[in-house]
Amino acid sequence: MKTNNVDEVLDNMRMDVQLSMLLRPSEPQDSLPSFIFEAIYTEYDFDNDSETEKRIAWAEAVIINNNTFADNEADSIEEKCDAHSQELYDVYRALYNEEEYLRKPLQKYDLSPICFLSAFTIEKGYEETQKEILNWIIDYISNYSPVVVHLPIPSCLVKEPGYDRIEYKRDEEKIKERRHSFISQGFLPLRDTDYMYHTYEYGE
């Protein structure tokens, strides 16, 4: 995408957001809300009086330590994350200590929900829209959580009959590029782990 087309794309883009959670949670993982974000670009062809919609970005996020929504307090954060997926359990182990307090440098957010941005993809050719889209997602998530955690490994959405899954592609050069990109947008390394985090300070 040419640089001078970035504003045109952003001016004709909408963000679709889907919240998914059970009304009456019965299993530990059921009380962890998940969000799906889609950036939809409407391309206009004025010569032929037509328009085409393209999904140029896709992201998924899960809210951990969920105090915002109705919750089953009998379940620990560890139980919820472990029941959800190995991926979320790994995040839990990087964030919390044995007493389920947040580790440094996030200890002051102990009572806050934490958001794990499990996937963030931009279609090839639209990379220059990443900053605007990611900032929009962070601002939206800040309604529920002041902390966003991300694993900067490029991923893609794999659609299978009756089941969609996220597939990670561990390419060290692309991981390095992604870390650099997220650092430029306010993310910081989470201690000596592979994770990065972004904090939102209300009132600033």
Side-chain angles (χ1 to χ4, degrees):
M1 181 176 58
K2 296 180 180 179
T3 302
N4 60 358
N5 288 340
V6 175
D7 285 338
E8 188 271 334
V9 171
L10 293 173
D11 287 342
N12 293 286
M13 182 188 298
R14 73 172 190 272
M15 294 295 297
D16 288 352
V17 184
Q18 176 186 342
L19 166 66
S20 178
M21 66 179 296
L22 292 179
L23 179 63
R24 295 183 176 180
S26 59
E27 299 296 330
Q29 72 274 20
D30 292 345
S31 61
L32 299 179
S34 63
F35 292 92
I36 297 295
F37 299 90
E38 292 184 299
I40 308 296
Y41 164 51
T42 302
E43 185 174 34
Y44 296 96
D45 183 345
F46 295 104
D47 292 334
N48 296 307
D49 192 26
S50 64
E51 59 185 59
T52 304
E53 288 192 345
K54 298 180 180 179
R55 187 182 74 176
I56 67 170
W58 181 88
E60 181 182 64
V62 181
I63 302 293
I64 307 173
N65 189 16
N66 172 28
N67 297 320
T68 307
F69 302 92
D71 204 355
N72 182 357
E73 296 299 335
D75 297 323
S76 67
I77 305 171
E78 180 179 16
E79 288 173 321
K80 296 173 188 177
C81 293
D82 189 28
H84 183 280
S85 63
Q86 180 64 49
E87 177 188 24
L88 204 62
Y89 184 64
D90 291 341
V91 177
Y92 165 81
R93 294 183 63 186
L95 291 175
Y96 293 92
N97 63 22
E98 293 77 6
E99 288 77 37
E100 295 210 331
Y101 291 111
L102 284 169
R103 301 177 188 271
K104 293 182 179 180
L106 300 174
Q107 63 272 29
K108 76 173 186 176
Y109 298 99
D110 258 325
L111 299 179
S112 301
I114 305 298
C115 178
F116 175 50
L117 184 64
S118 57
F120 181 78
T121 64
I122 298 285
E123 293 295 325
K124 186 175 181 180
Y126 293 90
E127 293 86 349
E128 291 183 61
T129 65
Q130 174 178 301
K131 182 177 180 179
E132 293 273 0
I133 295 172
L134 182 57
N135 286 343
W136 190 96
I137 291 173
I138 291 172
D139 283 344
Y140 185 93
I141 289 173
S142 71
N143 289 295
Y144 309 98
S145 169
V147 180
V148 179
V149 178
H150 180 63
L151 183 64
I153 297 179
S155 60
C156 63
L157 179 66
V158 179
K159 288 187 171 292
E160 298 178 346
Y163 178 70
D164 293 348
R165 61 184 174 85
I166 299 170
E167 183 177 282
Y168 291 95
K169 298 183 178 180
R170 193 165 189 100
D171 181 313
E172 295 304 322
E173 188 60 34
K174 290 184 178 179
I175 291 173
K176 183 178 179 180
E177 292 176 4
R178 193 175 184 89
R179 289 185 70 88
H180 179 75
S181 174
F182 272 62
I183 286 174
S184 71
Q185 293 177 244
F187 279 76
L188 298 170
L190 182 63
R191 300 187 313 279
D192 59 348
T193 72
D194 289 333
Y195 297 98
M196 305 185 74
Y197 71 95
H198 181 287
T199 58
Y200 186 96
E201 298 297 336
Y202 300 101
E204 290 189 353

